[in-house]
Amino acid sequence: MEVLSTARNICILTGAGVSAESGVPTFRDAQTGIWAQFRAEDLATPEAFARDPVRVWEWYGWRRSLIGQVEPNPAHRALAEWQSAFPGEWTLITQNVDGLHQRAGSAEVIELHGNILRTKCSSEDRVVEAWPETDEVPPCCPHCGAFLRPDVVWFGEMLPVDALGLAAEKSGSCDVFVCIGTSGLVYPAAGLPSHAKAMGAFLIEINPDPTPLSDLADTCLRGKAGLVLPELLASLRSAQKQP
Ligand code: BV8
């Protein structure tokens, strides 16, 4: 794709679809999506945690153990290879909390919604690396005694200011913005593609299905990320070899 071969500054936004081929359920796929089986209001909001901290802590424990059993897939690996080979500015922004981009070798990943593998104090809001062995569920902060919680952004919570600020800055200054595996429904992350487009970026969507971003996109590559990205990388490599 010509526009990618000549781009000097590329920005990538990924969603749960990038991890689907690793076996991590997406959120909104009809049968298998997390929100088809659970209600976000009961599990992914501060109110849910205040109402039933045990249930929320255990649900995230289930998701953490599932993520601990999977591997990065060819989509994650292709993105890491693309980043290391790209001579210009290349930014990876993810909505995912599974850490699979980092495990595949991606560097400087901007995590908009936190990381499920990190735990923080629900009162001091700082990451807690370790706490005393306990049967308490949830465990309590060793500093202040408040419940510990997953270091993810719940619905109704602000995104990390630095991460969102950097993501907006990079989205507004790239030549090409590529949205991969996201339904484009969750804001403010879903606003980044239109921000990039408004600032002059060429917008590409990689997704087997249409989304609210599809009409905005200059090109839609309809397919699974684990197939499309390795092919895209191979075609970029052969384009570079041509005189
Ligand atoms: C906030 C972490 C404000 C937790 C998540 C307008 C502006 C601002 C906010 C809002 C707004 N309108 C509404 C809101 C509120 C809300 C929101 O956006 N709601 C939506 C549902 C309407 N936003 C918020 O609450 C955000 N906070 O704005 O705070 C504020 C202001 C003042 C004071 C206080 C607060 C916080 C949002 C973050 C929520 N946390 N996750 C956890 O994981 O448990 S969101 C969750 O959705 C994940 O992070 C996920 O990544 C994200 C987006 O979903 P996707 O990644 O896109 O996944 P999805 O399943 O939807 O789609 C997958 C796609 O992949 C599909 O298109 C599918 O076709 C495709 N696919 C499938 N297989 C493949 C594939 N693609 C490629 N290859 C494949 N193989």
Side-chain angles (χ1 to χ4, degrees):
M1 189 183 292
E2 175 69 22
V3 69
L4 283 176
S5 309
T6 55
R8 306 301 331 131
N9 185 329
I10 294 178
C11 212
I12 309 279
L13 172 67
T14 62
V18 159
S19 297
E21 289 153 273
S22 292
V24 181
T26 63
F27 288 88
R28 293 170 187 84
D29 279 330
Q31 276 67 41
T32 57
I34 285 179
W35 302 143
Q37 304 165 58
F38 303 97
R39 281 167 26 98
E41 306 84 313
D42 296 341
L43 292 159
T45 66
E47 295 77 13
F49 185 67
R51 197 168 44 243
D52 192 345
V54 175
R55 185 173 180 219
V56 172
W57 176 266
E58 289 182 336
W59 184 66
Y60 277 88
W62 166 73
R63 284 180 58 197
R64 249 198 306 273
S65 65
L66 186 152
I67 287 165
Q69 294 161 43
V70 303
E71 294 298 325
N73 68 60
H76 297 107
R77 287 198 291 274
L79 287 170
E81 285 165 31
W82 191 2
Q83 178 179 29
S84 61
F86 188 69
E89 188 163 344
W90 199 95
T91 304
L92 174 57
I93 305 163
T94 190
Q95 300 169 89
N96 299 343
V97 297
D98 57 31
L100 287 175
H101 284 304
Q102 293 90 324
R103 283 179 56 195
S106 286
E108 297 173 64
V109 179
I110 300 176
E111 293 181 313
L112 291 180
H113 295 159
N115 188 310
I116 201 169
L117 305 175
R118 281 195 308 265
T119 296
K120 68 178 183 181
C121 172
S122 61
S123 168
E124 298 165 318
D125 207 35
R126 64 176 170 175
V127 172
V128 173
E129 300 288 347
W131 51 90
E133 278 293 311
T134 170
D135 295 335
E136 282 180 310
V137 175
C140 293
C141 172
H143 309 286
C144 75
F147 283 143
L148 298 181
R149 57 164 281 185
D151 185 18
V152 299
V153 179
W154 282 330
F155 289 100
E157 291 188 317
M158 291 291 276
L159 275 60
V161 174
D162 294 349
L164 183 57
L166 185 58
E169 178 202 322
K170 298 293 186 183
S171 304
S173 57
C174 62
D175 313 321
V176 181
F177 191 97
V178 191
C179 311
I180 311 171
T182 182
S183 58
L185 292 171
V186 176
Y187 284 83
L192 293 172
S194 43
H195 174 55
K197 177 95 179 172
M199 299 299 284
F202 186 92
L203 186 59
I204 299 170
E205 177 179 57
I206 299 175
N207 193 319
D209 302 322
T211 75
L213 300 172
S214 303
D215 290 344
L216 192 67
D218 297 290
T219 300
C220 294
L221 304 178
R222 287 280 169 253
K224 293 186 172 186
L227 299 173
V228 170
L229 282 167
E231 282 171 16
L232 190 60
L233 206 58
S235 62
L236 286 174
R237 285 206 174 103
S238 59
Q240 276 164 353
K241 287 187 187 117
Q242 275 147 20

